[in-house]
Amino acid sequence: MSHGVGFLRASSAVLHSLALNPSSLLLRGRIARPSLRICPVSASLFAVRCSGSALRENLRGESTATMAIDPENSGENIRKRFLDFFATRGHTILPSSSLVPEDPTVLLTIAGMLQFKPIFLGQKARTVPRATTSQKCVRTNDIENVGVTARHHTFFEMLGNFSFGDYFKKEAIRFAWELATKEYKLPEERVFVSVFEEDDEAFAIWRDEIGVPVERIKRMGAEDNFWASGPTGPCGPCSEMYYDFHPERGLQDADLNDDSRFIEFYNLVFMQSNRLDDGSLVPLQNKNIDTGLGLERMAQILQKVPNNYETDLIYPIISFAAELAQIDYMKADERTKTYLKVIGDHTRAVTYLISDGVNPSNIGRGYIVRRLIRRVVRMGRLLGIKGDGKGDLEGAFLPRISEVAVNMSSAVDPFVQQNASRIYEELYREEQRFVQTLERGEKLLEKLLTDALSGKISNGTEEPKLSGKDIFLLYDTFGFPVEITEEVARERGVGVDMDGFDKEMAVQKSQSQSAHNVVKLTVGGAVSELSSTIAKSKFMGYHTTEAKGQVVALLTKGAPLTEASEGQEVELILDETPFYAESGGQIGDHGTIKGQSEDGSEFVVRVTDVQKAGQGLILHRGQVEQGKITLGAKVEGTVDSQKRRRAMAHHTATHLLQSALKKVLGASVSQAGSLVAFDRLRFDFNLPRAMTGEEVVNVENLVNGWIGEAVDLETKVMALTDAKKSGAIAMFGEKYEDEVRVVNVEGISKELCGGTHVRNTADIRGIKIMSEQGIAAGVRRIEAVCGAAFIEYVNQRDSVVKQLNSLLKVKPEDLATRVQALQDELKSMNKEAASLRAELAIAKAESFANNAEVVGPSNVRVLVTSLGTVDSDALRVAAEHLVAKMGDPSAFVIASTSADGKVNLVAAFSKSVVKQGLAAGKFLGPIAKLCGGGGGGKPNFAQAGGKLPEKLEEALNKAKVDLVAALSKAS
């Protein structure tokens, strides 16, 4: 089986990851040399004569063309033909899900089947019997192979057809063969297949019904051709299809793992068994089909190019990057081509990730985006790309290259072009930030080389050498290319520990590969198990805060119970409930659940948290305050209506706030998260800068104006596609069913939202923005209060103002002036006090200066003393005074302690002392270390500090001994 495959993989334990100058064009599989150029044209993607400058000028126009290819085999058409093929065979075409998965066990969407995981588990009923998708995916655990092999990618599209208990092996195999040989017209003699070694049924279907010769059917072991979701759970054999690039090599000893000959392009998973705890397999009641066909791989085959990168799916990006670098891709060496391939691949990945709301950061998904961007910037700099290609050498090139990816995105994800401005802004900011990091890396490299040559870095050998850890630090933290580190070091006569670097890299790769790159289909916990045994909870809370129901599940800490007594923490699931479960940023309702025990006594459960659980279940968490509750009891749930009203006001206000932000800051502003609580709202949004005070006021005034207009809210349940067509805004990160609830404030806001809302904007009463601040690169946060919380906030502020009025004896309107006057007065007094402290320190220093000793053949005046309790600023002023007073040659170290017990140290050496080889900065460091601190400075003047005043006398004694000794030796 081919390595580097981006499909669902067979494994005994886990599901493996799905994981140039444009003067040359590929023309129906052959290379057409400089007479043709890539240029933007309409969607048919054919080559025409077009200059490189025209390409640059037209990037913002229509979609960008790639190579001249048979239109039937363009990447866009391959995708369309796949979906249409299965649509005509009863499959419903479903959209790609976000790259940010709902599944918490997976960091990014790495498989086409991920959105169907709940159906495969039986947690969610199927909505269609069979489906087909083109799923955008990202995987990064083989990132070092991107651009090196012919078909490793971070971003790729997985075409898939799925059956949810409808058809099985025979139909899946027949569909796959017909698609490959009839629809895509692959020569039958070039198609090989693999089957699980024990799957006689699949082998027989391929041989007897499809007619594939046995010489081209390979039986393979469980490691290659058996898929499992984990130690237990759904599993089944696989069958894979391979294309033979070199049939002339014959059938004897043909090895499907030979990447130079074969490419795996289609993987069929037959999910037919359930593995029990004892390892035994029992048939699944509903057998499922899960497949994946790599779009980029099929494009390579049909477009007759040597690798996935030179297909029309990626090559236009590579070509434009090559033009910016003034490189002829087709004539470039392999290393240069690799750099360009990395740029093409990673640019696609970060463009789609940022569009889906993943911004660069130092954790989780954001770190992946940051890492990919840094690799692109690093490769671009290695290629000599300078500036933005428009003459701005200080500009960023990645946003310009991303324009090509954006212009090619319409058939993959229509939202990418809508998010274009945000994508470019994020890329620009991150590239500029990283260029500064690279420059710091250059400085660090210089320091490491200097230290190695001076012998400060010991590697156990006489040869100066950079350690593997240092090389990895430069590479991983500062993005410094290993080959550049090695080259610069060799030029300076410094060796490099590449074995050590490889070990550090192996550790990182193993950590990367073990994190979130496996789709787990195991079901854990009592709540998940309940999903398959009890019906969905019915939420009644849109129209009432009270509802009767029945306890259909009773648990404590996830463990099932039949009864619970007073004081016990419990979790309840009701068949019908008025309690809103936390979602969409809105926290869960509080309230009580009451009922009668079997003996007629009343029980009360105080509900303090409500969460969604399993598939469609609502879990109420709380404590039994009275009586004994039993499973199956009839109850009445009552929501705390005052808290509900607070949450409703804040939730509706977030909708108005988003609309106001778009009006004031621009339509590209989008929500990046929210919190709807009882006491406040929090709204996160994308913006690369801080809002001005005027903008904050304008937003607040807009929202308050809409509140004052008393506009009714309308809610309507409709099909998701219809809702989006109507212009309703979807919140990023939220997962929506086929039918959604649309909350409309006519003429102001329309959003998909399952939360609870006021009936009229006037019910919000008012909004006050308490703060606006940055929380991450390009992400801002507003905190505000509405309704009752707004009144409480205003009353609290009014109380503070009245206290200040009383204390300062001024009217409210004069408060600011009075406070400013007090601040000016305090600043003046502090300045005067500092001046007095400095004068006192100078006086002390002058008195001690008379005690200076004359040392060495150069008659250097030496003073080492403490001035007692003096702050660091005053000590510095005293030291500067001494420099002038003592003249040249002189050297002194003076110290003091601050009121807070810290040690302050200053050393100053005159010019002739410095010429004798003494440096104040280097001298003072070890002295400060004795006091539990450190510091440094220039050769003539240095400052340091410490936290051990009890060690000061010892430190000064050492300073005097060392200073006298050094000056006595100097000539």
Side-chain angles (χ1 to χ4, degrees):
M1 182 173 65
S2 168
H3 298 295
V5 168
F7 305 128
L8 286 174
R9 273 309 197 188
S11 168
S12 57
V14 296
L15 171 65
H16 288 246
S17 301
L18 294 178
L20 109 115
N21 187 312
S23 60
S24 300
L25 296 177
L26 292 172
L27 184 58
R28 297 184 187 269
R30 296 171 295 174
I31 297 177
R33 293 299 179 181
S35 61
L36 293 179
R37 286 184 180 267
I38 295 170
C39 86
V41 294
S42 59
S44 58
L45 308 177
F46 305 125
V48 296
R49 279 187 188 274
C50 178
S51 69
S53 61
L55 171 62
R56 290 191 294 269
E57 292 301 319
N58 288 288
L59 269 174
R60 296 186 181 276
E62 297 176 286
S63 62
T64 303
T66 63
M67 296 69 62
I69 59 171
D70 185 336
E72 189 177 21
N73 294 329
S74 69
E76 184 172 344
N77 207 35
I78 294 171
R79 182 193 304 111
K80 183 178 185 300
R81 289 163 67 189
F82 182 95
L83 297 175
D84 289 347
F85 176 89
F86 284 102
T88 60
R89 287 156 180 80
H91 294 68
T92 301
I93 299 177
L94 297 178
S96 170
S97 61
S98 169
L99 286 171
V100 180
E102 185 176 5
D103 187 340
T105 70
V106 185
L107 197 62
L108 294 168
T109 297
I110 58 172
M113 55 75 64
L114 197 59
Q115 64 172 300
F116 304 117
K117 173 180 170 179
I119 299 174
F120 289 141
L121 282 173
Q123 295 176 333
K124 182 178 179 181
R126 70 182 191 184
T127 54
V128 294
R130 50 179 77 176
T132 183
T133 64
S134 176
Q135 174 65 52
K136 54 188 181 181
C137 302
V138 168
R139 65 189 298 269
T140 58
N141 58 330
D142 284 322
I143 191 172
E144 299 302 326
N145 288 323
V146 171
V148 178
T149 68
R151 38 195 177 266
H152 270 96
H153 298 294
T154 54
F155 178 88
F156 57 93
E157 287 184 72
M158 187 60 63
L159 307 176
N161 57 288
F162 306 90
S163 168
F164 311 113
D166 186 31
Y167 62 82
F168 201 50
K169 285 184 189 178
K170 185 181 297 186
E171 294 87 349
I173 290 173
R174 178 168 52 81
F175 287 151
W177 182 257
E178 186 180 353
L179 176 78
T181 62
K182 300 296 189 286
E183 178 62 39
Y184 290 142
K185 299 180 178 61
L186 299 185
E188 293 184 8
E189 67 276 10
R190 286 197 171 201
V191 178
F192 281 64
V193 296
S194 68
V195 296
F196 177 48
E197 58 191 357
E198 298 176 11
D199 192 356
D200 295 333
E201 181 185 5
F203 188 96
I205 294 171
W206 283 112
R207 180 193 61 197
D208 302 335
E209 300 195 27
I210 303 301
V212 179
V214 294
E215 295 84 3
R216 296 210 310 272
I217 308 175
K218 304 293 184 180
R219 291 183 183 267
M220 303 182 79
E223 182 178 353
D224 291 318
N225 276 63
F226 192 90
W227 173 84
S229 62
T232 61
C235 57
C238 304
S239 184
E240 296 162 324
M241 301 180 71
Y242 294 78
Y243 183 78
D244 183 4
F245 288 111
H246 296 286
E248 72 278 2
R249 296 181 186 177
L251 298 176
Q252 188 174 1
D253 299 325
D255 181 4
L256 296 181
N257 286 321
D258 181 359
D259 285 349
S260 68
R261 176 175 178 178
F262 295 103
I263 181 173
E264 178 201 339
F265 63 86
Y266 209 168
N267 186 27
L268 314 178
V269 177
F270 309 129
M271 205 179 300
Q272 65 187 41
S273 302
N274 184 39
R275 180 176 280 135
L276 304 180
D277 290 335
D278 61 4
S280 62
L281 299 177
V282 296
L284 286 173
Q285 183 176 356
N286 293 317
K287 297 179 179 179
N288 304 309
I289 289 294
D290 162 27
T291 79
L293 182 147
L295 175 60
E296 291 78 7
R297 296 182 176 214
M298 184 55 71
Q300 179 194 345
I301 295 170
L302 295 181
Q303 294 176 17
K304 296 181 174 63
V305 294
N307 55 69
N308 293 358
Y309 296 94
E310 294 178 27
T311 67
D312 68 340
L313 295 165
I314 308 175
Y315 188 76
I317 307 172
I318 293 174
S319 178
F320 184 63
E323 180 166 323
L324 289 181
Q326 298 182 3
I327 291 170
D328 185 331
Y329 173 84
M330 292 303 175
K331 295 179 181 179
D333 58 37
E334 287 307 310
R335 174 177 288 188
T336 299
K337 284 185 176 181
T338 296
Y339 292 162
L340 288 166
K341 290 173 184 176
V342 170
I343 291 174
D345 171 88
H346 289 8
T347 298
R348 282 208 308 170
V350 298
T351 296
Y352 285 91
L353 282 165
I354 294 173
S355 177
D356 275 357
V358 185
N359 293 326
S361 71
N362 286 329
I363 57 172
R365 302 180 184 100
Y367 177 71
I368 290 175
V369 175
R370 172 159 288 169
R371 187 181 180 199
L372 295 177
I373 290 174
R374 290 185 170 191
R375 280 173 61 86
V376 173
V377 175
R378 196 169 68 231
M379 300 303 176
R381 285 170 69 91
L382 283 172
L383 292 173
I385 299 178
K386 296 179 180 179
D388 64 356
K390 292 182 175 180
D392 181 4
L393 296 182
E394 301 301 321
F397 67 84
L398 183 50
R400 297 226 59 220
I401 298 175
S402 176
E403 291 180 32
V404 184
V406 169
N407 288 334
M408 295 167 63
S409 68
S410 58
V412 185
D413 182 352
F415 293 104
V416 172
Q417 293 185 350
Q418 296 178 24
N419 297 325
S421 60
R422 178 166 58 83
I423 294 169
Y424 302 148
E425 288 170 1
E426 287 292 338
L427 292 176
Y428 178 85
R429 257 195 319 275
E430 190 64 17
E431 180 176 338
Q432 295 291 78
R433 183 183 293 115
F434 182 50
V435 166
Q436 297 173 359
T437 302
L438 274 175
E439 291 171 353
R440 292 198 298 272
E442 292 170 355
K443 293 178 182 178
L444 175 60
L445 174 58
E446 177 59 30
K447 180 180 184 303
L448 291 171
L449 291 172
T450 301
D451 289 347
L453 289 168
S454 65
K456 290 184 178 180
I457 297 179
S458 175
N459 292 280
T461 65
E462 294 183 1
E463 178 194 11
K465 180 181 286 189
L466 294 184
S467 70
K469 285 189 176 181
D470 285 338
I471 300 169
F472 184 78
L473 173 68
L474 285 163
Y475 168 81
D476 190 55
T477 302
F478 294 94
F480 218 74
V482 176
E483 55 269 29
I484 295 298
T485 300
E486 186 175 11
E487 182 179 337
V488 173
R490 298 292 185 200
E491 289 175 355
R492 297 282 294 276
V494 177
V496 288
D497 179 13
M498 294 309 299
D499 290 339
F501 171 79
D502 291 340
K503 289 178 182 177
E504 296 291 330
M505 179 63 74
V507 170
Q508 189 205 55
K509 287 185 71 174
S510 65
Q511 292 172 343
S512 174
Q513 289 173 341
S514 64
H516 294 291
N517 282 305
V518 173
V519 183
K520 298 181 180 178
L521 293 193
T522 51
V523 186
V527 174
S528 294
E529 293 175 5
L530 288 170
S531 298
S532 60
T533 60
I534 61 178
K536 291 182 178 181
S537 305
K538 188 175 182 181
F539 177 58
M540 313 294 290
Y542 287 131
H543 308 293
T544 182
T545 55
E546 297 180 356
K548 294 181 178 180
Q550 184 177 14
V551 179
V552 294
L554 178 62
L555 309 97
T556 182
K557 297 180 180 179
L561 300 172
T562 56
E563 62 180 34
S565 303
E566 188 172 318
Q568 197 166 357
E569 299 290 334
V570 293
E571 296 143 10
L572 307 176
I573 297 176
L574 310 181
D575 59 350
E576 296 185 6
T577 178
F579 288 86
Y580 179 80
E582 180 176 330
S583 63
Q586 181 177 336
I587 66 172
D589 281 327
H590 291 189
T592 58
I593 295 175
K594 298 180 180 180
Q596 284 192 336
S597 301
E598 293 179 355
D599 60 3
S601 61
E602 186 179 70
F603 63 78
V604 179
V605 177
R606 176 68 56 184
V607 177
T608 54
D609 184 29
V610 185
Q611 296 287 332
K612 291 184 176 180
Q615 294 296 320
L617 302 181
I618 296 178
L619 193 71
H620 308 72
R621 291 194 176 106
Q623 186 179 52
V624 182
E625 285 192 340
Q626 175 184 328
K628 182 170 66 176
I629 184 173
T630 58
L631 180 64
K634 302 288 186 180
V635 297
E636 182 172 358
T638 303
V639 173
D640 185 324
S641 56
Q642 183 180 10
K643 288 184 175 179
R644 166 69 77 80
R645 284 193 294 271
R646 285 170 169 258
M648 290 163 61
H650 284 132
H651 202 153
T652 305
T654 63
H655 288 214
L656 303 185
L657 184 58
Q658 177 161 219
S659 294
L661 287 167
K662 286 180 178 291
K663 282 186 174 294
V664 173
L665 303 175
S668 63
V669 169
S670 62
Q671 183 173 349
S674 67
L675 171 68
V676 176
F678 305 132
D679 60 339
R680 72 191 188 285
L681 71 84
R682 190 176 70 207
F683 189 84
D684 300 340
F685 57 101
N686 296 303
L687 190 69
R689 60 172 178 80
M691 292 177 65
T692 65
E694 183 181 3
E695 287 171 338
V696 173
V697 171
N698 288 343
V699 167
E700 186 179 278
N701 288 342
L702 260 178
V703 177
N704 278 321
W706 291 330
I707 292 170
E709 290 174 9
V711 182
D712 286 334
L713 272 72
E714 300 175 349
T715 59
K716 184 184 295 185
V717 176
M718 62 177 69
L720 178 59
T721 53
D722 293 339
K724 289 183 176 180
K725 287 178 183 177
S726 73
I729 296 175
M731 176 183 168
F732 173 75
E734 279 295 294
K735 308 301 176 182
Y736 299 99
E737 301 291 336
D738 293 334
E739 284 196 336
V740 293
R741 188 166 178 263
V742 177
V743 178
N744 182 31
V745 187
E746 188 62 40
I748 300 171
S749 166
K750 182 185 284 189
E751 295 190 30
L752 306 184
C753 184
T756 59
H757 289 270
V758 299
R759 295 183 179 181
N760 185 286
T761 59
D763 296 336
I764 300 174
R765 301 167 73 179
I767 186 173
K768 182 64 185 175
I769 295 177
M770 299 185 294
S771 66
E772 188 276 339
Q773 60 185 333
I775 59 169
V779 180
R780 309 293 299 178
R781 170 172 291 172
I782 280 178
E783 294 207 20
V785 287
C786 302
F790 168 72
I791 302 300
E792 291 167 359
Y793 177 82
V794 171
N795 287 340
Q796 181 187 33
R797 288 300 177 96
D798 183 60
S799 175
V800 171
V801 169
K802 286 178 178 177
Q803 290 180 51
L804 290 173
N805 292 342
S806 176
L807 289 171
L808 300 177
K809 310 298 183 185
V810 294
K811 298 177 181 179
E813 57 268 26
D814 296 330
L815 267 179
T817 302
R818 178 59 177 145
V819 170
Q820 183 63 54
L822 289 173
Q823 285 181 326
D824 292 343
E825 185 178 342
L826 180 61
K827 187 183 295 184
S828 176
M829 293 175 66
N830 285 339
K831 188 175 181 179
E832 183 178 349
S835 177
L836 291 172
R837 288 194 296 269
E839 289 179 9
L840 178 60
I842 289 172
K844 286 184 177 181
E846 283 192 338
S847 67
F848 286 117
N850 296 326
N851 299 327
E853 301 178 22
V854 178
V855 175
S858 300
N859 296 322
V860 179
R861 298 185 67 197
V862 174
L863 176 65
V864 179
T865 190
S866 171
L867 301 187
T869 304
V870 173
D871 66 36
S872 59
D873 290 337
L875 183 68
R876 186 186 68 253
V877 172
E880 291 169 346
H881 179 79
L882 276 179
V883 168
K885 182 176 180 62
M886 293 181 67
D888 190 15
S890 63
F892 65 82
V893 176
I894 59 174
S896 70
T897 55
S898 302
D900 57 4
K902 291 182 180 179
V903 175
N904 309 303
L905 292 160
V906 173
F909 298 163
S910 67
K911 290 182 179 179
S912 60
V913 171
V914 173
K915 288 181 179 179
Q916 293 180 45
L918 277 74
K922 291 184 177 179
F923 181 85
L924 194 59
I927 306 303
K929 192 173 182 180
L930 287 175
C931 297
K938 299 178 180 179
N940 64 318
F941 193 89
Q943 288 182 271
K947 55 186 177 182
L948 302 174
E950 65 272 17
K951 295 286 186 178
L952 180 57
E953 184 177 353
E954 178 187 346
L956 290 177
N957 288 336
K958 175 176 172 56
K960 185 171 184 180
V961 170
D962 291 352
L963 190 56
V964 169
L967 291 171
S968 297
K969 293 178 183 178
S971 58

